[in-house]
Amino acid sequence: SVQSVTMENPGLHLFLLGVLPVHGAFTDQAIHTSIDMYNFHLKNMCSHLHTCTTYVDTNVFRLADRSLKPHLASGPNDPLHLSEQGVRLLASRVKYALRSRHGLPTGQPRRAPSG
């Protein structure tokens, strides 16, 4: 568990990424609800363990229907993998979290264009 890892490694700081949404053509609302609930609990856990964990929010990847934005998916037949643009956005979210954690200038995190 996260708690046991941080207890065994004092000074370790974990960055926990929210689960990314999946491409809408391959999902139903139950999958979106499961992802939302998992991310809710992960974010809540990070807020309670704030000294040793940071939650990296992935909501910027979602459409209003909670599915992955199509231009961030690797293709219409792949519900799970990110396109090159999606990978760049994910990397910028992690970079932002790292810089923020270490008190470095963050600028503005890149946001995916609506679509």
Side-chain angles (χ1 to χ4, degrees):
S1 76
V2 171
Q3 288 175 321
S4 63
V5 169
T6 56
M7 288 177 70
E8 292 172 11
N9 300 283
L12 178 70
H13 191 90
L14 299 175
F15 292 84
L16 304 174
L17 278 69
V19 174
L20 292 166
V22 291
H23 200 296
F26 293 89
T27 63
D28 58 29
Q29 290 305 312
I31 291 172
H32 296 310
T33 299
S34 294
I35 290 172
D36 288 348
M37 291 303 299
Y38 183 86
N39 285 342
F40 172 81
H41 291 294
L42 187 62
K43 186 176 183 177
N44 190 43
M45 179 189 65
C46 286
S47 71
H48 286 92
L49 300 171
H50 62 88
T51 59
C52 58
T53 60
T54 297
Y55 177 71
V56 181
D57 196 324
T58 54
N59 280 331
V60 69
F61 290 83
R62 292 172 25 152
L63 290 172
D65 72 356
R66 302 184 296 175
S67 65
L68 180 63
K69 292 178 179 177
H71 66 282
L72 299 176
S74 65
N77 296 321
D78 186 345
L80 299 176
H81 298 98
L82 295 174
S83 65
E84 184 177 332
Q85 184 178 5
V87 170
R88 282 195 308 268
L89 178 61
L90 183 61
S92 77
R93 302 293 298 166
V94 172
K95 180 180 175 182
Y96 180 85
L98 285 165
R99 293 182 69 78
S100 179
R101 167 71 183 151
H102 294 287
L104 299 170
T106 57
Q108 294 295 319
R110 288 187 176 172
R111 295 220 166 240
S114 298

PDB file of all heavy atoms in Angstrom, residues 7 50 100-101:
ATOM      1  N   MET A   7       5.950   4.700   4.784  1.00  0.00           N
ATOM      2  CA  MET A   7       6.445   4.453   6.141  1.00  0.00           C
ATOM      3  C   MET A   7       7.809   3.774   6.110  1.00  0.00           C
ATOM      4  O   MET A   7       8.664   4.045   6.943  1.00  0.00           O
ATOM      5  CB  MET A   7       5.444   3.622   6.937  1.00  0.00           C
ATOM      6  CG  MET A   7       4.196   4.404   7.313  1.00  0.00           C
ATOM      7  SD  MET A   7       2.975   3.410   8.172  1.00  0.00           S
ATOM      8  CE  MET A   7       3.822   3.149   9.726  1.00  0.00           C
ATOM      9  N   HIS A  50      -0.758  14.230   2.627  1.00  0.00           N
ATOM     10  CA  HIS A  50      -0.220  15.329   1.821  1.00  0.00           C
ATOM     11  C   HIS A  50       1.272  15.553   1.980  1.00  0.00           C
ATOM     12  O   HIS A  50       1.912  16.085   1.088  1.00  0.00           O
ATOM     13  CB  HIS A  50      -0.973  16.622   2.101  1.00  0.00           C
ATOM     14  CG  HIS A  50      -0.856  17.091   3.522  1.00  0.00           C
ATOM     15  ND1 HIS A  50       0.165  17.889   3.925  1.00  0.00           N
ATOM     16  CD2 HIS A  50      -1.628  16.845   4.607  1.00  0.00           C
ATOM     17  CE1 HIS A  50       0.023  18.130   5.215  1.00  0.00           C
ATOM     18  NE2 HIS A  50      -1.050  17.513   5.659  1.00  0.00           N
ATOM     19  N   SER A 100       6.005  22.101  -8.896  1.00  0.00           N
ATOM     20  CA  SER A 100       5.220  22.683  -7.815  1.00  0.00           C
ATOM     21  C   SER A 100       5.668  22.122  -6.468  1.00  0.00           C
ATOM     22  O   SER A 100       5.833  22.854  -5.497  1.00  0.00           O
ATOM     23  CB  SER A 100       3.739  22.409  -8.055  1.00  0.00           C
ATOM     24  OG  SER A 100       2.959  22.935  -7.022  1.00  0.00           O
ATOM     25  N   ARG A 101       5.873  20.833  -6.405  1.00  0.00           N
ATOM     26  CA  ARG A 101       6.287  20.171  -5.169  1.00  0.00           C
ATOM     27  C   ARG A 101       7.627  20.699  -4.672  1.00  0.00           C
ATOM     28  O   ARG A 101       7.861  20.828  -3.475  1.00  0.00           O
ATOM     29  CB  ARG A 101       6.362  18.655  -5.404  1.00  0.00           C
ATOM     30  CG  ARG A 101       7.065  17.874  -4.339  1.00  0.00           C
ATOM     31  CD  ARG A 101       6.272  17.809  -3.065  1.00  0.00           C
ATOM     32  NE  ARG A 101       7.050  17.107  -2.057  1.00  0.00           N
ATOM     33  CZ  ARG A 101       6.966  17.309  -0.772  1.00  0.00           C
ATOM     34  NH1 ARG A 101       6.102  18.169  -0.307  1.00  0.00           N
ATOM     35  NH2 ARG A 101       7.708  16.646   0.070  1.00  0.00           N
TER      36      ARG A 101
END
